[in-house]
Amino acid sequence: MERCETVGFRGTSPPGNLCGMGLELRTSRRCWVLFVAVAVCCLLRRADVALGRGRQWRCTALPPLPTWLKAPELAQISKRHLLIGLLPLALPRESLAEDGLQRPLPPRLLTVTPYVDKVKRLREVTHESGELVNLISTQVKGGGLMGGGADALKERLERGKAEVLQPLLDELSAAALELAPGLEGPQRQRLQELPVLLKGHLLELTDAVDKRLFSQYSSKSTGKVYEGGRAERELEEVEETLQEFLQVAGQSNGPVGK
């Protein structure tokens, strides 16, 4: 019988005569398989922490490798790269934070992070609708727009405020109360200020929506042109405030005494 030198099938040809088909797992391919396995481990670790399961992954021992991964040439080629790839798994979470690597968010923020996409989508809708509304509406005194398109966008934003922005403010206020004790100095003060800042942006947004300020607006501070007018700019402010809140709150050690 034909001898098979394909890695993992030493001896007679496996079913289907893989050797005859020229299927050979070369060293480079084995390296890629190993690196993919390491990447999957890293992703699973990050997913576990993001879901709040709180596992402390430490690489105290690795399971035995399959025979086909123990080839001498593979060991010679990939030892240094393998150590680099396993570094995030081998280090405790505290070391990752000290070295400036990605740190898991406190579990309390898991109810806040979904609002990132919701607020972004609301701003995008305002931008896209603003382009059309500016074409079909009439501008009135004070910079507001009049017409069916402006009325429809106003209704959409009022619904977005009730379904997304007001619940976001409630979540941020509650999270700030719980996480602020886990911070010190300027960070604690900033975390407590951000819900108040967000409330101010929501008041500005409400004013812009009530006055239908959807006409194209150029901001001197950002240098951007907002097709959705001042309403879009205020939504961008909301988005930036939320991102800063997550960044600051992410440094908290969590609710004290819990």
Side-chain angles (χ1 to χ4, degrees):
M1 298 180 67
E2 181 184 356
R3 297 290 295 177
C4 178
E5 296 300 329
T6 303
V7 177
F9 295 103
R10 299 196 179 277
T12 57
S13 299
N17 194 14
L18 294 177
C19 293
M21 296 172 60
L23 180 60
E24 297 180 358
L25 299 177
R26 301 183 184 277
T27 300
S28 59
R29 186 170 182 180
R30 280 173 275 166
C31 291
W32 276 111
V33 172
L34 182 57
F35 291 152
V36 168
V38 171
V40 170
C41 288
C42 292
L43 289 175
L44 288 175
R45 170 188 174 276
R46 291 176 183 271
D48 255 355
V49 175
L51 290 173
R53 296 174 184 168
R55 294 185 182 177
Q56 298 288 335
W57 287 57
R58 297 174 186 268
C59 223
T60 55
L62 291 175
L65 294 175
T67 304
W68 58 274
L69 282 177
K70 295 180 180 178
E73 61 268 29
L74 176 61
Q76 294 173 2
I77 291 174
S78 61
K79 279 181 179 178
R80 183 169 63 89
H81 296 87
L82 178 59
L83 288 174
I84 295 173
L86 289 175
L87 181 60
L89 297 178
L91 289 175
R93 187 172 65 179
E94 292 79 6
S95 298
L96 292 176
E98 292 172 1
D99 293 341
L101 300 178
Q102 183 174 358
R103 176 175 179 169
L105 289 175
R108 179 60 183 84
L109 294 180
L110 294 178
T111 57
V112 178
T113 51
Y115 287 97
V116 173
D117 289 336
K118 294 179 181 180
V119 174
K120 180 181 179 181
R121 181 55 188 157
L122 191 59
R123 178 180 58 79
E124 291 174 345
V125 168
T126 304
H127 177 84
E128 295 165 0
S129 301
E131 295 178 337
L132 178 61
V133 169
N134 276 274
L135 291 175
I136 63 176
S137 301
T138 303
Q139 188 167 359
V140 297
K141 186 177 180 180
L145 296 180
M146 181 178 64
D151 292 341
L153 182 54
K154 178 178 182 291
E155 182 181 348
R156 175 66 182 87
L157 289 175
E158 288 175 341
R159 188 167 68 251
K161 181 181 177 182
E163 297 176 356
V164 177
L165 302 180
Q166 187 58 50
L168 168 62
L169 178 60
D170 296 338
E171 284 288 347
L172 255 63
S173 300
L177 287 175
E178 293 184 31
L179 297 176
L183 296 170
E184 296 181 357
Q187 284 189 319
R188 175 187 292 188
Q189 182 178 355
R190 185 58 178 170
L191 188 69
Q192 294 170 335
E193 291 173 348
L194 286 171
V196 180
L197 184 61
L198 177 62
K199 184 176 181 179
H201 291 314
L202 295 187
L203 290 175
E204 293 289 339
L205 176 64
T206 299
D207 183 66
V209 171
D210 289 343
K211 295 178 180 178
R212 295 173 174 78
L213 299 179
F214 307 135
S215 56
Q216 190 181 78
Y217 167 68
S218 298
S219 172
K220 294 181 180 179
S221 59
T222 65
K224 297 180 183 178
V225 176
Y226 298 91
E227 297 294 339
R230 292 183 179 272
E232 182 186 350
R233 171 58 182 150
E234 289 303 327
L235 284 171
E236 186 180 65
E237 296 269 21
V238 171
E239 199 173 357
E240 292 171 352
T241 303
L242 174 55
Q243 293 286 1
E244 184 181 357
F245 183 90
L246 291 173
Q247 182 181 3
V248 176
Q251 304 302 315
S252 174
N253 293 322
V256 174
K258 294 187 179 181

